Amino acid sequence: MPSNALIKEFQAIVGKENVLESEADRHSYSYDSAVLDPVVPDLAVRPTTSEELGKVVRLCNENGLPVTPRGSGTNLSGGTIPSKGGIVLLTNALNKIVEINEEDLYAVVQPGVITAKFAAEVAKRGLFYPPDPGSQAVSTLGGNVAENAGGLRGLKYGVTKDYVMGVDFFDVNGELVKSGSRTVKCVTGLNLSALQVASEGTMGVFNEIILKLVPPPAANKAMMALFDNVDKASATVAAIIAAKIVPCTLELLDNVTINLVEDFTKAGLPRDAQAILLIEVDGHPGQVAEEAEKVVAICKKTGATEVKAAKDEAERNKLWEARRAALPALARAKPTTVLEDATVPRSKIPAMIKAINAIAKKYDLTIGTFGHAGDGNLHPTIMCDKRDKNEFHRVEQAVDEIFDVALSFKGTLSGEHGIGLAKAKWLEKETSAATIAYAKALKKAIDPKGILNPGKIIGG
Amino acid sequence: MADLHKLAQMLQELDDQMVACMKCGMCQAVCPVFAESLNEADVTRGKIALLENLAKEMIADAKGVQEKLNKCLLCGSCAANCPSGVKIMDIFLKARIIVNTYMGLSPVKKVILKGMLTRPALFNSLVSVAARFQGVFSTPVNEIIGSSCSQWLSPVIGDRHFLGLAKEPLHSAVPSLDSAPGASGLKVAFFPGCVVDKMFPRVGHAVLKVMAHHGVGVYLPAGQSCCGIPALSSGDRDSYEKLVAANARLFAKGRFDALVTPCATCTATIKELWPKFVDGFDATTKAQVLAMSEKAMDVNQFLVDKVGVTAVDKPTGGTRVTVHDPCHLAKSLGVRKQPRTLLGANRDYELVEMAEADRCCGCGGSFNLAHYEVSRSIGRRKRDNIVASKADVVATGCPACMMQISDMLSQAGDRIAVRHPVEIYAETID
């Protein structure tokens, strides 16, 4: 525990009201959205200005106090669990949109800005910020950059890293490091912005982020195709891409998910369908019309039992309802919801779904799979009760095996949720011992006392 | 100090409900209290985590948890937005009963709940004495809103701009009624609720006028008690049961098709909470409570859905009216359209929607007393949205919201009237 003198120093920097030291307050920063055991921090500290932020980081380093930066705590990999104690550094008061530049198509934000609020502000000005993680209504942009958050539009528009033009961050000494720029092209110095993306708070503490904006598509068209087997659905995904059409969204729901969604919404989905593909194309109206027509034809050719295209916005909303209901439906089925994000090359989707179903059977678990078929990012979702020790042990084994299979298909441990604590032990399996050694050497050099979110990604 | 182990054991009965929370944090997006403080302990996910830790005896500071638990408006916004469908209101109310019973009520709440609320006759006479003397201590500040402030009372009420107690409460003007159904063939029991009775009797009179106009018979028994929400939300189950049982006995004497209230909070309490907290009653009382609960209906909903009031075709407009959706009406009961239809039935008004019409006004009953500064900052956002709509009048179907919004508008010096939709509809009747 930090001494009273140290607590007073924090109070002197950020004000008494922004140092949360009561037991109840500390306990409320001991967890995030991951199904992992909580760890209670010694303190939670909330800077409200850049200057305060730098001073807090410096004070922590001087005292060898671990720092766990936390935006909204929505991450699913334990990245904001203060596993080594120390302080939880709250960034949610650093929530100003500093600039939205309509001439040069970029924005500058503080890390605590809420993603959906930012996207709405950008949209008001006729521009578009595409990354749309499922938690966007509450997640922060700092957290999105730190986890390299994805979303439903990843296939065509990419993920958070594709929009990061620069990050200003504090090093452990509280010195401000500048990286990137407001220009489209920039090759000044080492690419330190890229080092910050997906670093999960282990490489610096974000101060300001420069994000790229794009013009919004003028039109869109949504379609839903039903399949009596998953292979046909996956073949459709491949055929659409092979026809040189890149939909903005291409989502898949498996049979378990379809049935749970139907239980929950009574929307009239066919319970015997083995897979549903939800497809949306966007862009110039002429192009959208042409591509939509081609997609429908491809779906029919590859064996869809039914294809519906939305005629207007109301129908489009109705089609997307099934996808929006996926997580709520799975979450209500059982007390505990373990949402994974194993990701494979998209040609391996049928094999991956087959493997997941076999794993579910082997461990006697219910696993619903939905996700971003277009980019191979699946969400096998295990419905269980963490209080049932025996069952939860089987869940852990099943998760291990899901990763094994994903890696055997040359996939990755995490498409968008991050490594955090949950998957740190797996990192070497996907990469190599040398990769971990390199990362550790880098970390040691810039954070010799190991105060920046210790235990995450590379363990330790 | 309370025996933590025992407290923990009692909280474990909530475990099955709490475990459904997957800690996704989506409650942060809609919680008005969290929006002000940005503290995780002020949002549902945090409160559930704290209760879980208390139940597992991982936390020693039960008083700290109690404070966090009580810092909630019970507006239900989180429950309406929860992907996992966690029964948040059930958890919080049950937890408040367990924790507050164990830790004890604050002395102020003890006096109000046990000493006054459960004794309707005493409550009424105290209020009438207060009503007689209030003019001596207060100064009117805004005649459009009808608000006053008071230097004398500021140690108690702060710088609130309050609405005076009515000179003549509804129960004095109309002690009781039992009229037969007219043209409509319908008969309602009328439950005005404490705030309408004592502060807005004009709303009660409007309801009676409208019912008479539509040929709806009214059963209004004398000696009604509070619906029980102040007691239940304070965790005082004992007082709650006294109030509910008294009402159930009283209304069991009448025959009616629906029990109508002009108060969103009373309706939601009777309709949704009464059936959930009936275990302590004997079989007869339990049956009476459930029967009353089943018939409970918001007055806007009754007039539109049952009586068939519709909006006029060609309103002439002239007065701009905006609607604030009370949490208990919109989020708990799903009544959103009917108040607007009712306003649309008065051709002199033009409906203009404000931003975030269903965002909580920040009153939250006793939350306003315990956390006035937070309550006020939430209310300011509501006030800003009302003003931005450029409305002349704001209409809302909850007298508690009317009090809060009046305070906010009055403090800002806005000249915008605060009305109940029924009052505006009643203007159409000569």
Side-chain angles (χ1 to χ4, degrees):
Chain A
M1 287 296 284
S3 64
N4 281 339
L6 188 53
I7 291 174
K8 286 220 164 64
E9 284 190 67
F10 280 118
Q11 289 174 342
I13 298 171
V14 297
K16 213 170 171 193
E17 69 282 7
N18 288 312
V19 178
L20 306 174
E21 52 175 321
S22 79
E23 191 186 15
D25 274 318
R26 289 186 294 112
H27 270 256
S28 63
Y29 295 107
S30 63
Y31 60 84
D32 54 27
S33 293
V35 189
L36 294 170
D37 291 334
V39 181
V40 184
D42 298 330
L43 273 185
V45 179
R46 177 169 23 233
T48 56
T49 64
S50 292
E51 197 191 347
E52 290 175 10
L53 181 65
K55 284 182 179 168
V56 167
V57 177
R58 182 193 175 99
L59 186 58
C60 287
N61 193 47
E62 282 170 356
N63 290 277
L65 207 55
V67 178
T68 306
R70 178 183 172 109
S72 295
T74 54
N75 81 88
L76 286 150
S77 54
T80 41
I81 295 177
S83 60
K84 308 276 180 198
I87 74 155
V88 166
L89 180 57
L90 304 173
T91 62
N92 59 357
L94 296 162
N95 55 8
K96 285 187 199 66
I97 299 174
V98 181
E99 182 186 0
I100 295 179
N101 192 308
E102 296 171 54
E103 287 184 320
D104 295 323
L105 301 187
Y106 70 83
V108 182
V109 298
Q110 289 189 315
V113 173
I114 304 293
T115 313
K117 275 190 193 161
F118 173 66
E121 281 302 318
V122 166
K124 268 189 208 163
R125 290 160 175 80
L127 291 169
F128 187 32
Y129 177 70
D132 57 345
S135 55
Q136 60 178 325
V138 285
S139 70
T140 61
L141 289 166
N144 289 173
V145 175
E147 300 285 335
N148 191 14
L152 271 67
R153 302 192 188 109
L155 174 59
K156 178 171 176 178
Y157 290 100
V159 295
T160 304
K161 73 172 177 195
D162 299 306
Y163 295 85
V164 177
M165 297 168 73
V167 182
D168 285 359
F169 58 93
F170 287 104
D171 68 11
V172 288
N173 298 312
E175 301 291 343
L176 191 61
V177 182
K178 298 197 167 196
S179 75
S181 80
R182 286 159 170 75
T183 56
V184 174
K185 295 175 176 175
C186 166
V187 283
T188 308
L190 292 176
N191 191 349
L192 298 179
S193 305
L195 180 66
Q196 296 303 321
V197 177
S199 67
E200 303 186 20
T202 63
M203 292 285 163
V205 177
F206 302 170
N207 176 53
E208 281 184 3
I209 302 160
I210 309 169
L211 293 168
K212 179 169 82 176
L213 305 175
V214 296
N220 54 50
K221 184 107 182 159
M223 289 149 281
M224 175 158 86
L226 311 178
F227 296 88
D228 57 11
N229 94 32
V230 181
D231 284 2
K232 287 181 192 167
S234 311
T236 308
V237 173
I240 291 170
I241 308 288
K244 301 191 175 53
I245 297 168
V246 183
C248 58
T249 316
L250 214 177
E251 297 284 302
L252 178 137
L253 278 69
D254 77 347
N255 179 265
V256 175
T257 310
I258 293 167
N259 275 287
L260 284 167
V261 168
E262 186 54 23
D263 289 346
F264 175 49
T265 63
K266 311 268 182 254
L269 298 178
R271 289 183 179 275
D272 53 351
Q274 292 304 302
I276 287 178
L277 282 183
L278 282 155
I279 309 153
E280 184 163 309
V281 289
D282 71 359
H284 187 272
Q287 175 205 353
V288 167
E290 190 186 316
E291 289 188 347
E293 210 171 289
K294 278 190 192 166
V295 168
V296 172
I298 291 168
C299 290
K300 285 183 178 156
K301 205 172 148 193
T302 46
T305 53
E306 198 185 336
V307 188
K308 291 180 197 167
K311 287 186 189 66
D312 52 29
E313 191 61 24
E315 280 193 26
R316 174 177 179 243
N317 267 327
K318 213 165 155 50
L319 289 188
W320 281 109
E321 210 172 280
R323 174 62 179 83
R324 278 194 292 266
L327 186 56
L330 296 170
R332 282 163 207 240
K334 282 284 207 87
T336 310
T337 311
V338 177
L339 179 69
E340 280 306 342
D341 69 330
T343 301
V344 292
R346 55 192 156 219
S347 63
K348 295 288 190 281
I349 285 176
M352 189 67 203
I353 290 185
K354 220 172 273 171
I356 291 168
N357 289 340
I359 291 167
K361 206 165 180 188
K362 179 174 170 189
Y363 292 102
D364 188 22
L365 296 166
T366 314
I367 307 184
T369 300
F370 66 98
H372 320 304
D375 51 37
N377 181 194
L378 294 175
H379 292 303
T381 303
I382 311 178
M383 289 154 278
C384 57
D385 187 339
K386 67 182 171 195
R387 294 170 301 178
D388 180 340
K389 291 218 162 55
N390 181 298
E391 185 190 45
F392 203 68
H393 180 61
R394 283 181 280 128
V395 170
E396 288 169 331
Q397 288 175 306
V399 169
D400 283 356
E401 219 165 301
I402 288 172
F403 292 147
D404 258 339
V405 176
L407 292 180
S408 76
F409 291 147
K410 302 213 178 322
T412 181
L413 293 169
S414 176
E416 58 187 7
H417 293 173
I419 297 299
L421 294 171
K423 301 181 191 175
K425 64 171 179 172
W426 283 88
L427 195 65
E428 190 175 327
K429 203 156 189 175
E430 178 173 336
T431 58
S432 69
T435 312
I436 308 272
Y438 187 89
K440 283 194 167 161
L442 194 61
K443 169 86 172 156
K444 183 89 191 160
I446 59 179
D447 178 17
K449 292 183 183 171
I451 63 150
L452 294 175
N453 212 3
K456 315 297 155 59
I457 312 179
I458 50 175
Chain B
M1 187 59 203
D3 172 2
L4 273 181
H5 181 61
K6 206 166 165 198
L7 181 58
Q9 276 181 329
M10 290 194 288
L11 280 172
Q12 275 164 19
E13 75 175 61
L14 302 178
D15 194 45
D16 278 339
Q17 289 184 305
M18 294 199 291
V19 75
C21 170
M22 60 176 177
K23 309 286 183 295
C24 68
M26 294 306 280
C27 40
Q28 290 177 12
V30 291
C31 176
V33 180
F34 177 79
E36 296 305 321
S37 75
L38 299 176
N39 282 348
E40 182 80 16
D42 289 338
V43 80
T44 309
R45 174 173 76 158
K47 289 179 173 33
I48 291 180
L50 290 177
L51 288 170
E52 283 175 334
N53 289 356
L54 195 56
K56 289 180 198 149
E57 296 181 61
M58 286 163 64
I59 231 177
D61 181 15
K63 197 166 182 325
V65 178
Q66 181 190 28
E67 278 167 19
K68 306 291 183 191
L69 178 64
N70 289 340
K71 194 178 170 190
C72 165
L73 292 151
L74 298 175
C75 68
S77 303
C78 52
N81 196 50
C82 176
S84 307
V86 180
K87 305 262 180 279
I88 297 161
M89 290 303 109
D90 291 8
I91 295 172
F92 283 0
L93 288 170
K94 285 179 193 164
R96 282 188 183 190
I97 290 171
I98 295 167
V99 176
N100 292 344
T101 304
Y102 215 78
M103 308 291 293
L105 285 175
S106 72
V108 177
K109 283 199 169 175
K110 238 182 227 167
V111 170
I112 295 175
L113 297 172
K114 295 199 186 295
M116 203 163 82
L117 213 55
T118 49
R119 298 173 193 173
L122 173 69
F123 185 25
N124 284 344
S125 52
L126 282 175
V127 170
S128 73
V129 171
R132 228 173 301 149
F133 287 100
Q134 64 185 344
V136 180
F137 298 105
S138 63
T139 321
V141 281
N142 188 318
E143 82 279 6
I144 297 226
I145 296 167
S147 52
S148 306
C149 61
S150 173
Q151 258 183 325
W152 294 84
L153 291 173
S154 65
V156 187
I157 64 160
D159 47 4
R160 283 177 175 80
H161 285 197
F162 58 92
L163 300 166
L165 292 158
K167 283 200 188 85
E168 187 180 36
L170 188 70
H171 73 263
S172 302
V174 189
S176 70
L177 264 182
D178 195 359
S179 58
S184 73
L186 294 168
K187 181 163 177 175
V188 295
F190 182 33
F191 186 89
C194 306
V195 186
V196 162
D197 180 56
K198 292 163 182 56
M199 208 169 265
F200 300 107
R202 60 176 215 240
V203 174
H205 289 295
V207 172
L208 293 174
K209 183 178 172 188
V210 169
M211 295 302 168
H213 172 75
H214 287 288
V216 178
V218 176
Y219 174 61
L220 175 75
Q224 299 188 19
S225 304
C226 156
C227 70
I229 189 66
L232 188 62
S233 61
S234 304
D236 180 2
R237 186 153 189 174
D238 195 39
S239 300
Y240 165 78
E241 286 178 350
K242 277 186 190 149
L243 294 164
V244 174
N247 279 320
R249 275 195 297 276
L250 187 64
F251 281 86
K253 292 174 193 158
R255 293 172 72 88
F256 45 86
D257 305 298
L259 176 105
V260 168
T261 94
C263 171
T265 302
C266 294
T267 317
T269 304
I270 299 172
K271 192 140 201 79
E272 304 207 311
L273 300 179
W274 280 19
K276 284 182 182 157
F277 294 88
V278 287
D279 295 348
F281 296 122
D282 61 65
T284 315
T285 313
K286 189 172 166 179
Q288 289 170 342
V289 169
L290 292 176
M292 203 173 151
S293 167
E294 203 172 304
K295 288 182 178 168
M297 192 181 264
D298 165 63
V299 70
N300 300 286
Q301 190 182 16
F302 178 79
L303 289 170
V304 173
D305 295 358
K306 299 289 172 192
V307 175
V309 174
T310 51
V312 294
D313 275 346
K314 288 189 182 119
T316 45
T319 306
R320 291 166 63 91
V321 60
T322 194
V323 177
H324 159 65
D325 289 302
C327 297
H328 285 128
L329 208 51
K331 290 170 198 132
S332 302
L333 300 166
V335 175
R336 293 169 188 267
K337 277 187 204 154
Q338 294 91 334
R340 290 170 172 79
T341 306
L342 214 53
L343 294 172
N346 188 330
R347 64 176 67 254
D348 299 337
Y349 285 79
E350 175 197 349
L351 181 65
V352 288
E353 290 289 347
M354 70 170 101
E356 304 181 316
D358 70 352
R359 195 180 167 87
C360 179
C361 68
C363 180
S366 56
F367 182 91
N368 176 280
L369 301 175
H371 305 283
Y372 184 55
E373 277 315 310
V374 186
S375 173
R376 181 149 76 168
S377 43
I378 298 169
R380 273 194 209 114
R381 180 157 162 177
K382 178 55 66 180
R383 175 261 164 195
D384 291 346
N385 282 328
I386 294 169
V387 170
S389 77
K390 300 199 168 60
D392 306 304
V393 179
V394 53
T396 187
C398 181
C401 301
M402 288 171 73
M403 280 168 61
Q404 168 81 346
I405 291 172
S406 297
D407 182 13
M408 295 305 118
L409 291 172
S410 179
Q411 287 194 34
D414 303 314
R415 302 180 64 80
I416 299 173
V418 184
R419 316 278 309 270
H420 193 290
V422 165
E423 291 183 86
I424 291 174
Y425 175 61
E427 285 177 7
T428 64
I429 300 162
D430 294 326

